[in-house]
Amino acid sequence: MYERLAITLFVLIIAATGMWLIRRRRIQRAQTVIQHLGITPGIPAIVYFWSPGCHQCRTAQKPVLERMVEEHGEEHLQVISYNVDESLDLAKAWGVMTVPTTFIVDQNGEVLFANNGLATDGMLHRQLNL
């Protein structure tokens, strides 16, 4: 019984480490291409990848982002959005695998978080420290 528990624990640790490494790699890839986005220095940003065929992008993620910009103002938060159908190379460079995908970039231009799928306003507020 203890052997099974030890093996299960070992597998979970390996899986968690693998997921952390994958997420860290995506953030590093995004960091290398961030200079080309035109992000205003000193203002945190959300880089948003979407697709016209993505129902969740249009009906859930986009309204959340629009509300956040209205709430905080463009002088305190910028949202830079890319249609993956038109910006496929950029999406690949950022490691985008699903839409919607959002990246949180701090005021120093450092990518802090990568969110696959719908990112709620609560999650985005926590990640941005707003």
Side-chain angles (χ1 to χ4, degrees), residues 3 27 35 37 71 78 84 87-88 92-94 98 103 110 118-119:
E3 289 177 11
I27 289 173
Q35 295 82 11
L37 296 181
E71 181 181 335
Q78 53 190 320
V84 294
S87 305
L88 189 56
K92 285 180 181 179
W94 277 68
T98 62
F103 291 89
E110 180 149 344
L118 180 64

Side-chain angles (χ1 to χ4, degrees), residues 5 12 14 21-22 34 40 50 52 61 67 74 91 98 111 113:
L5 182 61
L12 289 173
I14 295 297
L21 289 172
I22 289 169
I34 199 163
T40 304
W50 62 280
Q61 191 67 74
R67 271 194 313 273
E74 291 180 5
T98 62
V111 178
F113 297 97

